[in-house]
Amino acid sequence: MDIFADFAVRVAAELKTLYPEASDELIARAVVEPPRDAAHGDMSSNAAMLVAKPLGKNPREVATALAERFKSDPDVDNVEVAGPGFLNFRLDEPVWHRVLKSIDALGDAYGKSDLGHGEKVNVEYVSANPTGPMHVGHTRGAVFGDALASLLQYVGYDVTREYYINDAGGQIDVLAQSAFLRYREALGETIEIPAGLYPGDYLKPVGEQLADAYGRELLEMPEAEWLPKVKELTLKMMMELIKTDLADLGVEHDVFFSERTLHGQGGDIDLTLEWLRSEGLVYQGRLDKPKGQADDDWEDREQTLFRATQYGDDVDRALIKSDGSYTYFAADIAYHRNKYLRGFKHMINVLGADHSGYVKRLQAAVKAVSANQADMDVKIMQLVRLLRNGEPFKMSKRSGDLVLLSDVVEEVGVDATRFMLLYRRNEQAMDFDFALVKEQTRDNPVFYVQYAHARCCSVFRTAEAELPALDLSAAELSLAPLELLVSPADIDLIKVLAQWPRMVVAAALAHEPHRIAFYLYEVATSFHGFWAKGKEDKGLRFVSPEDLKLTVARLALVRAVRQVLVNGLTVLGVSAPDELS
């Protein structure tokens, strides 16, 4: 039960009755949501202000007419017209009791919906160069993309989680050359790793594998022969390492797409450029030197250009370098055309802060290759500063000075890593403070939310210990006398739980999983607040031997809190422990 969606339907129906000339599209834009100030009521609607101008009417006149229609609604205790034409509703208590019943009836499905109608969505995230293990710089995008994919699945989209393996660039040759040095080391040579190669110890097992597989055979080959062999094994081992790191973080992908498959004669890039030419989207021209941000693809010459400005980009983009090789953007266009041809009309790319300049060009590419039939949202992950003793770590695959994803997970755990990285908007830079993550206080959001769930469980353990004859089965709690829940504390807590379905839809539409983390903290705050009131007021305790009927009703409320916490934490990929040590 989504009480806000329910009332949105009622408001739309009353509007249509009053003003049949109003279009369905216009009426559908009206929203019903919690007011910013709880003193204004339980829910508020902008419907009157939205339709008044197109209808040539005064907003307060429309709002007054709507308010009159709702005075006979049995679920509405009071409705007022406020400000320029807001409708503020106060609902009768039985409405909130029905919300509790719906949570009980739906259980794990409470908050799920068919918003997506099974439409296919491709969420591409992580996509780190396979030149070493995952470091903390990749972690935020990994967690965000995984949580967003789960959120979209939760509301009915057919989601494919994709990882783009950047295995076609020059950095892969550098990786293979670095691994070859470790191969020589495994054969007993003393090596020095020159500047420009990857010195990390994570390549030592690769060298050992090469030694086991080839003995001294590779030493007898020229580089042109050993390089592809070393590259193949090194890439395989790096991707196994990356997949293991991601799995330890609870992150999964359905598709690992190799960039190399786009290249070669007759490959996707060739086919895409041929298609772009046939559509008149490629021409020969010269670009002005970029102002401000550098563009690696810029060259001061006449070259093959994609008409990116035709699709909203700031400048047209180069496709072929002076040496005849393709630019990175040419591969990007081909890759996203490949996605479109696989049936994806909705694409989401999760990229690091250093790719913020790529947003418009990628969106232009998707519009072009789909003839404006597909859309793309690019979510930029701002930097995470990992602090220890107030000092940030330095990270570099080349220097070997790495803070690994696995190091973070080992120190603070999967749950804390995931929740804390989701407890900020993705476009905000953040500090990941080890000291805070380990605190057991309300200042530590993951602890505070998980503690709320553990407290729910402890309430039931207390009830079972103090009232062993009381039937606390699911069947009995489903028959709880919820009409006894009439205190402001009871109703306020139910109102928070009632927002879950609406919150899920809003977060999914905005592609913002942090909203779920924020909401769960709000639920935890409300529940802990109720608990604290019970210490001062016996009438607000969850377990009361003097009033068994009220105890059963309160336990039904606690079970609903627990269910909502579980549902939200599941979307985020975070556990809901019964106890905290």
Side-chain angles (χ1 to χ4, degrees):
M1 178 183 182
D2 183 346
I3 189 62
F4 296 94
D6 177 48
F7 264 80
V9 171
R10 298 190 203 189
V11 169
E14 297 295 354
L15 269 177
K16 196 64 176 176
T17 299
L18 287 168
Y19 307 104
E21 67 273 26
S23 69
D24 293 342
E25 182 181 359
L26 176 64
I27 289 176
R29 288 166 51 200
V31 298
V32 175
E33 59 190 0
R36 291 185 178 180
D37 185 347
H40 293 163
D42 298 326
M43 53 180 58
S44 180
S45 178
N46 67 344
M49 294 181 292
L50 187 70
V51 304
K53 187 175 181 179
L55 294 175
K57 297 185 180 297
N58 180 285
R60 283 189 65 90
E61 175 190 334
V62 175
T64 300
L66 268 175
E68 192 64 30
R69 301 282 299 182
F70 276 97
K71 286 182 178 178
S72 60
D73 190 314
D75 289 335
V76 177
D77 180 57
N78 184 40
V79 57
E80 297 176 345
V81 177
F86 284 104
L87 272 183
N88 291 335
F89 298 90
R90 295 183 189 277
L91 306 185
D92 276 349
E93 290 169 356
V95 174
W96 306 114
H97 300 151
R98 292 206 305 271
V99 169
L100 271 190
K101 283 188 174 295
S102 74
I103 298 174
D104 175 69
L106 293 170
D108 292 342
Y110 178 61
K112 289 187 177 181
S113 69
D114 191 31
L115 174 72
H117 300 296
E119 291 186 49
K120 295 180 66 174
V121 179
N122 183 287
V123 184
E124 181 206 328
Y125 54 105
V126 186
S127 298
N129 291 342
T131 53
M134 302 295 294
H135 61 65
V136 71
H138 303 124
T139 311
R140 189 176 193 182
V143 171
F144 178 94
D146 192 63
L148 177 56
S150 295
L151 175 60
L152 293 173
Q153 286 178 316
Y154 195 75
V155 296
Y157 287 94
D158 179 6
V159 179
T160 294
R161 304 161 186 249
E162 189 150 334
Y163 184 120
Y164 181 68
I165 307 173
N166 296 278
D167 54 3
Q171 81 278 0
I172 301 303
D173 287 342
V174 174
L175 177 69
Q177 291 161 351
S178 305
F180 187 74
L181 286 178
R182 295 299 186 180
Y183 158 70
R184 289 169 49 193
E185 182 181 43
L187 293 175
E189 292 186 32
T190 299
I191 64 167
E192 288 188 12
I193 301 176
L197 297 189
Y198 297 112
D201 286 348
Y202 57 84
L203 287 175
K204 286 186 175 181
V206 179
E208 292 166 0
Q209 280 274 65
L210 288 167
D212 289 343
Y214 293 100
R216 305 185 66 83
E217 181 182 341
L218 298 180
L219 298 177
E220 310 300 323
M221 299 180 184
E223 180 172 324
E225 289 185 25
W226 64 251
L227 187 64
K229 299 178 186 295
V230 173
K231 188 186 300 185
E232 198 67 32
L233 179 61
T234 305
L235 276 172
K236 178 176 180 292
M237 291 186 67
M238 288 300 99
M239 285 309 303
E240 288 174 352
L241 184 60
I242 286 171
K243 289 178 182 180
T244 298
D245 286 344
L246 291 173
D248 289 344
L249 189 61
V251 174
E252 298 179 353
H253 290 84
D254 303 308
V255 174
F256 286 85
F257 188 99
S258 168
E259 182 188 355
R260 285 187 294 172
T261 63
L262 300 172
H263 293 263
Q265 188 172 1
D268 277 359
I269 302 181
D270 284 350
L271 294 174
T272 298
L273 260 65
E274 181 181 334
W275 181 84
L276 290 172
R277 288 191 176 96
S278 71
E279 296 294 314
L281 298 177
V282 171
Y283 69 100
Q284 296 299 119
R286 185 183 296 269
L287 292 175
D288 294 333
K289 186 174 182 178
K291 297 178 181 179
Q293 188 171 359
D295 187 336
D296 293 338
D297 291 337
W298 181 80
E299 292 177 312
D300 187 15
R301 64 181 180 87
E302 186 172 277
Q303 54 190 313
T304 303
L305 302 174
F306 164 60
R307 298 185 187 276
T309 53
Q310 188 171 317
Y311 296 94
D313 198 1
D314 297 326
V315 297
D316 291 339
R317 301 290 176 179
L319 298 177
I320 300 176
K321 299 178 184 178
S322 56
D323 63 2
S325 64
Y326 291 118
T327 63
Y328 288 117
F329 185 56
D332 286 336
I333 300 176
Y335 174 46
H336 289 90
R337 182 168 183 257
N338 180 287
K339 287 184 182 179
Y340 178 67
L341 294 177
R342 281 188 274 148
F344 295 108
K345 292 186 178 180
H346 305 295
M347 307 178 201
I348 302 170
N349 281 18
V350 180
L351 302 177
D354 56 336
H355 287 80
S356 58
Y358 285 68
V359 175
K360 286 187 176 180
R361 71 183 73 176
L362 288 174
Q363 291 174 335
V366 170
K367 289 177 183 177
V369 299
S370 69
N372 287 306
Q373 296 302 301
D375 56 73
M376 163 172 278
D377 186 14
V378 180
K379 310 302 286 189
I380 298 296
M381 300 294 105
Q382 286 300 329
L383 298 176
V384 177
R385 198 168 64 136
L386 193 63
L387 301 179
R388 191 190 300 277
N389 299 321
E391 295 295 329
F393 291 104
K394 295 179 180 180
M395 296 174 295
S396 169
K397 279 197 180 80
R398 291 182 183 273
S399 70
D401 181 18
L402 288 169
V403 179
L404 301 182
L405 180 159
S406 56
D407 295 334
V408 177
V409 171
E410 182 178 354
E411 180 153 350
V412 303
V414 174
D415 288 343
T417 302
R418 290 183 66 104
F419 196 97
M420 293 300 286
L421 290 175
L422 291 167
Y423 199 67
R424 286 289 185 278
R425 297 176 185 273
N426 61 279
E427 65 269 20
Q428 293 179 332
M430 68 175 294
D431 290 344
F432 190 97
D433 190 330
F434 277 112
L436 174 61
V437 172
K438 293 179 179 181
E439 285 183 3
Q440 293 194 345
T441 69
R442 67 174 298 162
D443 293 329
N444 177 0
V446 63
F447 167 79
Y448 202 58
V449 172
Q450 289 185 319
Y451 185 40
H453 181 269
R455 259 188 168 170
C456 289
C457 296
S458 76
V459 169
F460 277 90
R461 289 193 294 269
T462 298
E464 290 167 356
E466 295 186 5
L467 303 169
L470 192 63
D471 185 355
L472 299 179
S473 65
E476 186 65 22
L477 289 178
S478 68
L479 300 174
L482 302 181
E483 66 275 6
L484 299 179
L485 301 177
V486 294
S487 76
D490 289 311
I491 300 301
D492 287 346
L493 182 53
I494 298 171
K495 287 178 182 178
V496 174
L497 302 181
Q499 292 190 42
W500 171 239
R502 173 186 166 274
M503 184 59 62
V504 169
V505 168
L509 289 175
H511 300 162
E512 293 182 343
H514 73 266
R515 296 192 189 195
I516 305 300
F518 288 0
Y519 169 77
L520 292 176
Y521 190 83
E522 182 183 355
V523 173
T525 299
S526 297
F527 179 69
H528 290 310
F530 199 130
W531 177 288
K533 290 175 184 176
K535 288 186 175 181
E536 304 297 327
D537 183 348
K538 292 181 65 174
L540 293 178
R541 292 179 182 172
F542 296 119
V543 179
S544 177
E546 297 82 13
D547 193 336
L548 296 184
K549 287 186 177 181
L550 181 58
T551 294
V552 172
R554 285 263 166 76
L555 290 174
L557 174 56
V558 172
R559 188 169 71 156
V561 172
R562 184 173 64 184
Q563 185 66 67
V564 171
L565 289 170
V566 167
N567 292 359
L569 288 169
T570 299
V571 169
L572 300 184
V574 177
S575 72
D578 293 349
E579 295 182 88
L580 291 178
S581 56

